[in-house]
Amino acid sequence: MFDLTGKVALVTGGSRGLGRAIALAFAGQGADLAINYRGNAAAADEVVAAITALGHEAIAIQGDTSAGREACEAIVRAALDRFGKVDILVNNAGITRDNLMMRMDEAEWDEVVATNLSGPFWMCRAIARPMLKARSGRIINMSSVAGRMGNAGQANYASAKAGLIGLTKTVARELASRGITANAIAPGLIETELTADLPDAAREFVITSTPLGYIGSVDDVAAAAVYLASDEARYVTGQVLGVDGGMMMGS
């Protein structure tokens, strides 16, 4: 596997689901972790304990990335104060507020865009200076297949995730000269807490739309993140890696 020994990773929304799996996968390859969480301190502490049990250092950092520039700068500063550097940033924090476009209210739109797009922008901005100084770094943004193809009932989510792809490519261009890469991962349907209550009909539709014929796991996404965080991906930047069972094949 890919060696992340000596690296420090900051994972937003790292207390559960995809964020937890990515954090544990990084630790399994030798990284120390800063686990950002918004409200579930117990879950964040559990991830920290699991990483510590693997023999690596970890801290939990409370902070709401949707709250804007100052909140994101505080999260990055806490990680830097503890570890002295951040080699890898994973913008994973995300929410859904699904509704049909004609029924979607202002709060449903604003909350999703603030968390899924504005938060990653401010985190990228906050991490850029220390990475530029170090002349190295890995930024990984968690997009979605919805951001590549749209999805009925998710105008807010699909728009934010599509915007995140544009942000990723822009950040990649702006920071490339200093050895910093920025890439996005676009998962298809993955078994998490967010998808546990998906109706059977919707689940079956996704499965039949996926060439591999099954729903992915958080470990599938975590493995992609480990690769993009590694030295082996040093020549990969501005890319969107689909972890979707072939759903977006050819797109």
Side-chain angles (χ1 to χ4, degrees), residues 40-231:
N40 194 336
D45 288 342
E46 185 275 328
V47 178
V48 168
I51 293 168
T52 302
L54 292 172
H56 301 291
E57 296 185 42
I59 59 168
I61 302 173
Q62 193 281 328
D64 183 356
T65 59
S66 73
R69 178 177 62 84
E70 291 185 0
C72 292
E73 288 178 351
I75 293 167
V76 171
R77 187 163 53 248
L80 292 172
D81 287 346
R82 176 64 178 82
F83 294 107
K85 64 173 184 173
V86 174
D87 302 290
I88 305 157
L89 168 66
V90 180
N91 281 312
N92 169 75
I95 62 171
T96 57
R97 298 288 186 270
D98 295 351
N99 213 339
L100 292 174
M101 179 183 67
M102 296 301 293
R103 297 177 182 172
M104 187 171 291
D105 63 31
E106 193 170 358
E108 290 168 335
W109 174 269
D110 289 346
E111 289 173 13
V112 170
V113 172
T115 301
N116 296 6
L117 180 57
S118 297
F121 168 75
W122 291 116
M123 289 299 297
C124 287
R125 188 178 186 276
I127 205 67
R129 192 175 300 278
M131 284 188 174
L132 286 167
K133 185 177 180 179
R135 301 187 71 88
S136 68
R138 300 281 184 269
I139 296 172
I140 302 169
N141 292 324
M142 298 305 301
S143 184
S144 168
V145 68
R148 304 177 77 184
M149 63 184 292
N151 195 30
Q154 289 193 314
N156 48 6
Y157 183 82
S159 297
K161 293 299 188 179
L164 194 54
I165 291 173
L167 174 63
T168 300
K169 292 176 180 290
T170 300
V171 170
R173 289 186 181 276
E174 291 190 4
L175 303 184
S177 65
R178 298 296 184 93
I180 301 163
T181 68
N183 293 284
I185 298 175
L189 185 64
I190 304 296
E191 292 284 9
T192 67
E193 293 177 12
L194 288 177
T195 61
D197 296 329
L198 194 69
D200 290 341
R203 183 178 294 268
E204 185 60 30
F205 174 78
V206 172
I207 292 173
T208 57
S209 301
T210 302
L212 284 180
Y214 62 92
I215 295 173
S217 75
V218 292
D219 293 334
D220 296 320
V221 180
V226 169
Y227 165 66
L228 290 175
S230 73
D231 289 342

